[in-house]
Amino acid sequence: MSTIERGSPVVGKDVVRAWVDGWVLSRSVPAAVEIPGGFRIDVGEPGHVVRYVLFDIARVRELAVGRADGGTWIKTAAPAEVVVPALTPAWTVNDPEFLMSTPLRRGVTAVPSGYTVHTEERGGVTVVRVRAADGSVAAGGRIARTGSTAVVDVVSTEPAHRRRGLGAVVTTALTDAAAQAGAETAVLVATAQGRALYRSLGWESRSEITPAFVA
């Protein structure tokens, strides 16, 4: 993966490609199509018809003007102060996200009393669920492997079970499974809240991601 210079608003193509490839596998959507400066993903969902993921900020204005149909998203590997001036009023900017990575290694996290961890394989995607004593799902997530890279996705904890370390349990179980399967590096995009968890687990921030969409 490429190294980002301190203060640079753009991360290299390779780390963005790694995230995109894993994301489409995790979400069971068609493979991304490479375009100048980024990738296009035909998501095909209401409110999220197509997604552009850009590593070249010079492409933002062109897409913002020419692709302003409802359900269009642009996620750019750059901070909002760089991206927003290139957008038109049709676009809504969401809270910042953070592209992160970590070398993969085997690991075990203690599971709090009353919870059990369940793992399932689905064609290159490992799904982890943490169940409470009553059998309900308390937390979960998945990791999609694409060659030497694995992408952590949709890690979440149910409100009644938060602040018990279950996010760390899920993430460690996912990365352990990917490492065991031969992947060498993990990538994810975190919310501001999630970034604190991943930092505590040794993940490195690679770039800020600015999401924008047309409703």
Side-chain angles (χ1 to χ4, degrees):
M1 292 186 176
S2 48
T3 301
I4 303 171
E5 307 227 76
R6 186 173 298 278
S8 171
V10 179
V11 69
K13 171 183 173 180
D14 50 359
V15 67
V16 175
R17 167 106 249 183
W19 175 54
V20 166
D21 286 347
W23 191 88
V24 299
L25 178 60
S26 174
R27 303 298 177 104
S28 299
V29 299
V33 176
E34 186 168 351
I35 61 173
F39 305 93
R40 189 190 78 238
I41 305 169
D42 294 315
V43 181
E45 297 180 356
H48 197 163
V49 178
V50 62
R51 168 186 288 207
Y52 294 91
V53 182
L54 304 178
F55 54 85
D56 182 353
I57 59 175
R59 292 280 292 157
V60 176
R61 179 168 293 280
E62 180 183 345
L63 285 173
V65 173
R67 301 288 190 274
D69 297 325
T72 300
W73 283 74
I74 296 176
K75 292 205 171 190
T76 308
E81 58 264 28
V82 176
V83 175
V84 171
L87 299 174
T88 69
W91 293 84
T92 298
V93 178
N94 269 3
D95 292 337
E97 300 170 349
F98 302 91
L99 182 62
M100 307 182 77
S101 68
T102 189
L104 281 174
R105 54 190 176 274
R106 300 295 306 274
V108 177
T109 295
V111 181
S113 177
Y115 295 96
T116 54
V117 177
H118 302 262
T119 303
E120 178 184 354
E121 287 290 327
R122 298 178 180 175
V125 179
T126 301
V127 179
V128 167
R129 296 185 181 90
V130 177
R131 295 189 179 275
D134 63 2
S136 63
V137 175
R142 52 187 183 241
I143 192 165
R145 300 184 304 278
T146 56
S148 63
T149 305
V151 174
V152 174
D153 193 26
V154 293
V155 173
S156 64
T157 302
E158 294 299 316
H161 300 277
R162 290 175 182 167
R163 301 187 182 278
R164 302 180 190 182
L166 298 185
V169 170
V170 170
T171 303
T172 302
L174 291 171
T175 54
D176 179 71
Q180 187 173 1
E184 299 173 358
T185 305
V187 181
L188 58 76
V189 170
T191 63
Q193 182 177 5
R195 180 171 58 160
L197 165 65
Y198 299 116
R199 278 179 166 172
S200 73
L201 296 174
W203 290 67
E204 175 188 1
S205 292
R206 303 296 303 275
S207 174
E208 187 170 329
I209 299 289
T210 300
F213 68 95
V214 178

